[in-house]
Amino acid sequence: MAAVLALAAHSKTPPQKIVISHALRLIVLTLLAGFVSRGGAEGSLVPVSAVFFTINNMLWLTAIVAVGYTLGKWLEHYHFPAPFMLTSLFCAAALHPLAAETLYFPDILNQLSMVLMGMLLGHHFTLFSFTEFGRHLWSSLQLIAIGLGITVVMAWGGSWLVGYPFSLLLLSWVPGSVETMSFAALMLKVDAGFVMANHLIRMLLIHTLPALVIFRQHRQSEKSS
């Protein structure tokens, strides 16, 4: 959603319909992940007491933030939508395995990021009437149904062709968030790394393609001027 909103802001496209569609998609896919993983691995995730402020944990988190911020500024120069979200995700995935122990991130910061995203969405929701909201909601439901239908068909076909479990391919290819689908994979005791890798590739394509379009438009405007 962040990448699409950034692209809409750059191209001066009204984001109302985009916000409704992505917000509804997030709700539907979160419910779908819970439905797929229900009872799949009860008690498989054991809560642990995380120590956030150890020297090792803070140094690694600081390194991830620093590298992600530096690379994000570099991508921002090339007009990548939501560059810091992309770089922080890949830096965390790349640097975490190098740490000697499991790293922990304060959950309060995750909750704060969700609050800020909700404030951004709420700002866009105030820009249209209830009638317009209903019209956009109906078209968004149709788009989500088409997208989920294609995902289910492709996951079933892929499962039949390559022998992978249907639930694994469904979680890997559904257009949902990395954390939600990875959590569902952990609950089902399927290959969460495979699920995460598919979503990382999808996010990389989603972030890269709009940047290439913006870069091409920028070059064409320079030539015409």
Side-chain angles (χ1 to χ4, degrees), residues 23 27-28 35 55 83 103 113 127 131 139 151 166 168 185:
I27 295 173
V28 170
F35 176 78
I55 295 178
L103 303 180
S113 66
L127 301 179
T131 303
S139 59
T151 303
F166 170 76
L168 175 63

Side-chain angles (χ1 to χ4, degrees), residues 124-201:
H124 291 302
F125 270 114
T126 61
L127 301 179
F128 46 81
S129 64
F130 184 78
T131 303
E132 188 177 2
F133 171 77
R135 185 172 64 253
H136 290 333
L137 182 63
W138 173 240
S139 59
S140 298
L141 285 172
Q142 294 176 350
L143 291 173
I144 292 172
I146 293 172
L148 288 179
I150 293 174
T151 303
V152 170
V153 172
M154 294 300 296
W156 179 82
S159 176
W160 180 72
L161 288 174
V162 300
Y164 276 54
F166 170 76
S167 58
L168 175 63
L169 296 181
L170 179 64
L171 294 175
S172 301
W173 295 345
V174 73
S177 61
V178 178
E179 62 276 8
T180 302
M181 298 308 155
S182 298
F183 179 78
L186 290 172
M187 292 295 295
L188 286 173
K189 293 184 178 180
V190 297
D191 192 350
F194 181 81
V195 173
M196 183 178 296
N198 277 272
H199 283 286
L200 289 177
I201 294 172

Side-chain angles (χ1 to χ4, degrees), residues 1-23 25 79-83 85 116-125 127-128 206-207 210 214:
M1 186 186 300
V4 177
L5 287 178
L7 181 62
H10 180 85
S11 59
K12 297 181 175 57
T13 302
Q16 290 89 339
K17 189 173 182 179
I18 297 174
V19 170
I20 294 176
S21 180
H22 280 272
R25 178 185 60 86
H79 307 288
F80 264 73
M85 184 179 68
L116 294 176
M117 179 61 74
M119 292 172 62
L120 178 62
L121 295 179
H123 170 71
H124 291 302
F125 270 114
L127 301 179
F128 46 81
I206 290 175
H207 283 70
I214 294 173

